[in-house]
Amino acid sequence: LSQATTAPPKPKPAPVTSETVGIWGLRLWQVVGIFALFVLSIIITLCCIFKCRIPRTRKEIEARYAQRKAAKDYADKLDTVPPLGELTDIPGGNSRLSLGFGEHRVP
């Protein structure tokens, strides 16, 4: 059985409110505010670095798709174009394009 004591009861801890002192002597609402600003600044920075804007309309989505497709088609066609030296004959020189660097041979 438990014994009855004459010692005063243990005091209850103070309830946590927005005015409770947290870390570094700041109140709880200040700590939460600083943390929220930190998280918000990270989100804004990431959105500025990466294009993460969500298109609003179907028309805008279709325009983006057409733009990406056109860019891909253009890049694919560019890969099939031969180098300039193979397309044209350079007068007074060999088939390689001379930029004025290195040795020059005179025929």
Side-chain angles (χ1 to χ4, degrees), residues 10-85:
K10 294 180 182 175
K12 290 184 179 179
V16 177
T17 64
S18 63
E19 293 299 320
T20 303
V21 176
I23 55 174
W24 300 313
L26 297 172
R27 306 239 184 264
L28 185 61
W29 67 269
Q30 292 170 326
V31 174
V32 170
I34 290 171
F35 180 74
L37 285 175
F38 178 72
V39 170
L40 187 64
S41 65
I42 289 175
I43 291 171
I44 290 171
T45 303
L46 290 176
C47 287
C48 290
I49 292 173
F50 303 106
K51 287 186 176 182
C52 61
R53 186 178 162 274
I54 299 170
R56 294 187 188 150
T57 63
R58 180 178 179 169
K59 194 174 188 179
E60 193 173 347
I61 294 170
E62 289 171 351
R64 255 193 208 166
Y65 172 75
Q67 185 180 17
R68 285 187 185 131
K69 186 176 179 194
K72 185 181 181 313
D73 292 344
Y74 179 74
D76 290 344
K77 279 192 179 185
L78 223 77
D79 289 340
T80 63
V81 175
L84 179 65

Side-chain angles (χ1 to χ4, degrees), residues 89-98 105 107:
D89 291 330
I90 301 171
N94 55 9
S95 64
R96 294 179 62 198
L97 180 64
S98 175
R105 292 184 186 171

